[in-house]
Amino acid sequence: MKDEILQMLKSRKDFISGQELCEHFQVSRTAVWKVMKQLQNDGYEIEAINRKGYRLIASPDVLTVPEILSVMTTEVMGRKIYYYDCLGSTNDQARMLAEQGAEEGSLIIAETQNTGKGRMGRAFFSPEGCGIWMSLILKPEIPPMDASMVTLVGAMAVQEMMQDYGITSGIKWPNDIVIDGRKVTGILTEMSAGPDRINSIVIGIGINANMKFFPEELEKTAISMSMVTGKNYHRAEIIACVMDHFEKNYREFLKTGDLRFLKERYNASLIHKDKEIDVHEIRRVWRGISRGINDIGELIVSSDEGDVIVRSGEVSIRGVYGYMK
């Protein structure tokens, strides 16, 4: 009953009477009062006035399942939530749950990670109480060769969330969201597939939301939303916003089979568009001019040899985090 009452409080801008709650849940006024006390103990600020009822004034920044669902507006993405106080990696947990039959749109969230992962096997800093560490399970009926495009769909969703919050950020192809040359979000996509069929895709998203500082080794390369604006953010609302944008873009991707629908928006957000970059491949490093993505999310780079197609996962693009010459 507590979760349902929280949902009702969040859906109403005015007061909701105790009598209405009693009749809805078929319980006594004492039972309703006890639930309100429980919510207050959980950090919710609730105003209670005789003859008017109860009104929610403010919500705490907590990542409980009821709190996240109370602000979620999607139909599929993030509607099934697995929450953990601590995990090694949300991606690892998501892969296991996907193998066990977890449905598409299932969202795995941890308050902190012990062994969070970034691309190229790098560690991902995941402290408690100030960031968003989540992984989304997808089971699209697309060829395995098209799976890399999902990473760009995820990056666009986070970029659009930043825009909704009035924060100026950009995308470093294919998977980082950057503010002033420092990373605010990292995305790691992992796939389980056979020769011609995808079993599942896990897209991990780490968002630096409310950090006030970073370890010395990350001071010059990482930043948070809070450090940019001086505000503290309600992380459940950020999650809901990202899921909303992701669901809309993902549906369009499944409909079209490519990224033509977001190519213009993505390229407009690309921080190294028409700039010189270094492309780090396994056996060589070369320099060129970034021209943006094509219809399937590959990066077009102009070089002395002409336009070269760079595919996600094969290279590392340098040009931010202190690497631009």
Side-chain angles (χ1 to χ4, degrees):
M1 186 173 70
K2 184 172 77 169
D3 296 350
E4 289 84 354
I5 287 181
L6 177 60
Q7 293 273 7
M8 292 177 72
L9 286 168
K10 280 183 169 284
S11 67
R12 299 275 284 268
K13 293 182 179 180
D14 57 352
F15 286 88
I16 182 170
S17 72
Q19 185 62 36
E20 181 180 343
L21 291 170
C22 292
E23 292 175 357
H24 182 84
F25 293 103
Q26 294 295 298
V27 296
S28 67
R29 285 183 176 272
T30 301
V32 170
W33 178 82
K34 287 181 177 179
V35 169
M36 294 301 173
K37 283 297 181 184
Q38 290 172 3
L39 289 170
Q40 288 174 330
N41 290 337
D42 291 340
Y44 293 92
E45 187 179 343
I46 298 172
E47 184 180 13
I49 298 180
N50 286 336
R51 301 183 183 279
K52 281 191 173 183
Y54 302 95
R55 182 174 64 170
L56 182 64
I57 302 299
S59 299
D61 179 30
V62 293
L63 293 183
T64 61
V65 173
E67 178 60 23
I68 297 168
L69 289 177
S70 72
V71 293
M72 195 71 72
T73 58
T74 54
E75 293 183 8
V76 177
M77 299 300 153
R79 281 295 170 182
K80 174 65 176 178
I81 296 174
Y82 297 84
Y83 170 80
Y84 305 86
D85 288 330
C86 181
L87 283 175
S89 159
T90 59
N91 263 29
D92 289 347
Q93 186 70 12
R95 285 205 318 274
M96 184 187 73
L97 290 170
E99 291 171 0
Q100 295 174 354
E103 61 200 59
E104 178 165 77
S106 296
L107 187 62
I108 291 76
I109 298 172
E111 185 63 73
T112 184
Q113 299 179 113
N114 288 330
T115 55
K117 298 184 297 182
R119 291 181 72 236
M120 310 298 183
R122 301 185 185 97
F124 196 93
F125 180 60
S126 314
E128 180 180 357
C130 52
I132 295 168
W133 326 120
M134 62 183 179
S135 296
L136 186 66
I137 295 174
L138 304 172
K139 297 187 175 182
E141 294 183 4
I142 60 173
M145 63 181 294
D146 291 346
S148 62
M149 286 186 273
V150 175
T151 299
L152 280 71
V153 173
M156 197 70 240
V158 178
Q159 171 69 2
E160 289 172 332
M161 176 275 292
M162 293 287 179
Q163 292 169 353
D164 287 350
Y165 278 83
I167 296 174
T168 300
S169 64
I171 300 173
K172 179 176 104 46
W173 181 87
N175 66 329
D176 288 348
I177 305 299
V178 176
I179 299 173
D180 295 333
R182 297 155 73 185
K183 183 190 290 191
V184 68
T185 296
I187 297 173
L188 175 65
T189 303
E190 298 178 299
M191 175 178 66
S192 169
D196 56 3
R197 180 179 180 276
I198 291 175
N199 299 320
S200 65
I201 294 173
V202 169
I203 177 166
I205 301 175
I207 302 174
N208 298 335
N210 292 325
M211 288 84 158
K212 300 299 185 289
F213 61 89
F214 286 91
E216 184 177 355
E217 64 271 20
L218 297 176
E219 285 180 348
K220 295 181 180 180
T221 59
I223 198 168
S224 73
M225 296 169 65
S226 182
M227 289 168 66
V228 173
T229 66
K231 300 177 182 177
N232 283 323
Y233 292 93
H234 191 269
R235 290 175 295 159
E237 292 178 355
I238 292 175
I239 292 170
C241 186
V242 172
M243 288 297 103
D244 183 60
H245 286 295
F246 184 89
E247 183 169 88
K248 293 172 183 175
N249 289 333
Y250 181 66
R251 281 178 175 169
E252 195 66 26
F253 163 64
L254 293 181
K255 187 187 302 181
T256 62
D258 59 32
L259 299 178
R260 282 175 295 175
F261 72 96
L262 63 66
K263 183 172 71 171
E264 184 176 344
R265 284 181 286 148
Y266 189 95
N267 283 334
S269 296
L270 206 57
I271 60 173
H272 46 73
K273 177 79 161 54
D274 298 324
K275 294 181 179 179
E276 189 175 58
I277 59 172
D278 291 338
V279 181
H280 290 241
E281 294 180 327
I282 296 175
R283 292 188 175 88
R284 67 172 183 144
V285 178
W286 54 279
R287 182 162 291 185
I289 305 296
S290 167
R291 299 302 185 191
I293 64 168
N294 60 17
D295 289 350
I296 58 174
E298 298 165 331
L299 187 66
I300 303 168
V301 181
S302 297
S303 71
D304 295 338
E305 303 170 2
D307 285 349
V308 179
I309 298 299
V310 180
R311 292 175 174 81
S312 175
E314 295 181 358
V315 300
S316 173
I317 300 296
R318 302 294 176 96
V320 290
Y321 313 151
Y323 294 116
M324 180 63 80
K325 303 298 183 184

